[in-house]
Amino acid sequence: MIRLYTFPASLKGTPNPSQFCVKLEAALRLAGVPHELWYEMDPAKGPKGKLPFIEIEGKRIGDSTLILYHLKEKLGVDLDRGLSDLERAQSHVIERMVEERLYWAIVHSRWADNWEVVKAMFFTGLPFPLSLIVPRMARRDMLAALGSQGLGRHTSEEIYDLGARDLAALAMLLGDKPFFFGNEPHLADITVYSALINIIGPDIETPLKEAALSYPNLVLHTERMGELYAARRQRQKITLTLAA
Ligand SMILES: N[C@@H](CCC(=O)N[C@@H](CS)C(=O)NCC(=O)O)C(=O)O
């Protein structure tokens, strides 16, 4: 049985505050891959120092994309089954834009612009003096990562404008279809859902949310994917790992 390690579901309005955790869990649910869900607070436990990661046959694998490649190779799990080569290429491009650019605009909207919400989400319950030190260090590291990635070097206005353009492109690609490639969901739908539910779902008002809500087709897509995600819930054993 695969063990899926994700952050705890600590943010109201989204299945998980991490879009990559939503993506992988949704992918496993939609593909019908049996798994156990383990909540983990410490990304350093994963082989890439990030969440999510999985444990399969005693081996830990990190990165949602590499995990899905592995599951395709080992178990034949192919979320893009039925797509043409061109559609697979489009799916790849959508995934990369949502994860390598739009994600960072979301990071900015949370860690730079809504720090108090993020602090309450991830860092409540820490004993003093860790309650002072840990959130501050985590924020410093996230903002440094945003700067290294490049998006963090722009003004807030520019970042939200870039994010809004990504959303506009997604809305245009989706058009009036139920899913990006027709009547069935594929990995692109899961990837877009995992980001959109993190923009629209939580009670955090941001220009990104405003932009996303201005596209009725993206909102409907998020609702449709949310229903599928909930309907494919398996009997899950949720385990919270304790600090070692
Ligand atoms: N490319 C990775 C990205 C995963 C990722 O960025 N996870 C974030 C949470 S959204 C994380 O664990 N951050 C902790 C850290 O960087 O220390 C994937 O697809 O899994």
Side-chain angles (χ1 to χ4, degrees):
M1 171 80 83
I2 294 171
R3 259 190 209 175
L4 167 61
Y5 290 85
T6 70
F7 282 115
S10 59
L11 181 59
K12 199 163 161 270
T14 173
N16 200 287
S18 157
Q19 70 184 60
F20 303 100
C21 293
V22 177
K23 171 193 167 191
L24 194 56
E25 195 186 350
L28 295 182
R29 284 188 187 194
L30 264 69
V33 179
H35 59 278
E36 279 178 359
L37 186 59
W38 285 55
Y39 283 155
E40 172 61 65
M41 280 304 291
D42 184 4
K45 300 255 178 71
K48 307 282 182 187
K50 288 183 185 261
L51 284 160
F53 62 91
I54 63 165
E55 200 169 284
I56 181 169
E57 293 164 355
K59 193 174 151 206
R60 288 188 169 185
I61 304 171
D63 191 284
S64 63
T65 300
L66 294 182
I67 291 166
L68 290 174
Y69 290 161
H70 181 88
L71 296 182
K72 185 173 174 189
E73 194 185 313
K74 296 286 174 201
L75 306 177
V77 175
D78 183 4
L79 287 147
D80 283 343
R81 180 164 290 141
L83 296 189
S84 66
D85 287 348
L86 176 62
E87 288 169 329
R88 281 177 186 268
Q90 289 166 341
S91 174
H92 180 90
V93 170
I94 290 173
E95 189 186 354
R96 293 282 56 80
M97 181 191 76
V98 169
E99 298 189 346
E100 308 302 338
R101 229 276 286 277
L102 185 57
Y103 165 70
W104 290 101
I106 301 173
V107 168
H108 172 83
S109 74
R110 291 186 178 173
W111 292 79
D113 276 1
N114 286 281
W115 168 234
E116 290 309 320
V117 180
V118 171
K119 199 166 144 190
M121 178 165 76
F122 286 126
F123 304 107
T124 35
L126 282 175
F128 185 83
L130 291 182
S131 56
L132 272 189
I133 302 163
V134 173
R136 210 173 283 175
M137 281 173 53
R139 186 176 194 223
R140 188 201 56 198
D141 291 350
M142 279 309 280
L143 295 181
L146 195 55
S148 303
Q149 189 272 347
L151 207 65
R153 289 150 200 256
H154 303 316
T155 64
S156 214
E157 207 182 16
E158 287 167 337
I159 293 171
Y160 288 129
D161 179 55
L162 290 168
R165 287 170 191 269
D166 293 347
L167 292 166
L170 291 174
M172 183 56 73
L173 285 171
L174 179 61
D176 57 8
K177 302 184 294 297
F179 301 105
F180 278 87
F181 298 106
N183 291 325
E184 298 295 328
H186 294 88
L187 184 55
D189 297 284
I190 293 172
T191 306
V192 172
Y193 165 69
S194 66
L196 263 287
I197 193 60
N198 268 293
I199 293 173
I200 296 173
D203 218 2
I204 309 176
E205 301 314 314
T206 69
L208 275 186
K209 183 173 182 173
E210 205 180 309
L213 291 177
S214 74
Y215 297 106
N217 64 342
L218 288 185
V219 175
L220 279 174
H221 179 268
T222 308
E223 284 171 8
R224 202 171 287 129
M225 287 301 297
E227 280 162 20
L228 269 181
Y229 175 85
R232 304 283 176 89
R233 188 188 166 89
Q234 307 176 356
R235 256 187 303 141
Q236 284 172 316
K237 180 179 151 203
I238 299 181
T239 311
L240 179 64
T241 63
L242 300 172

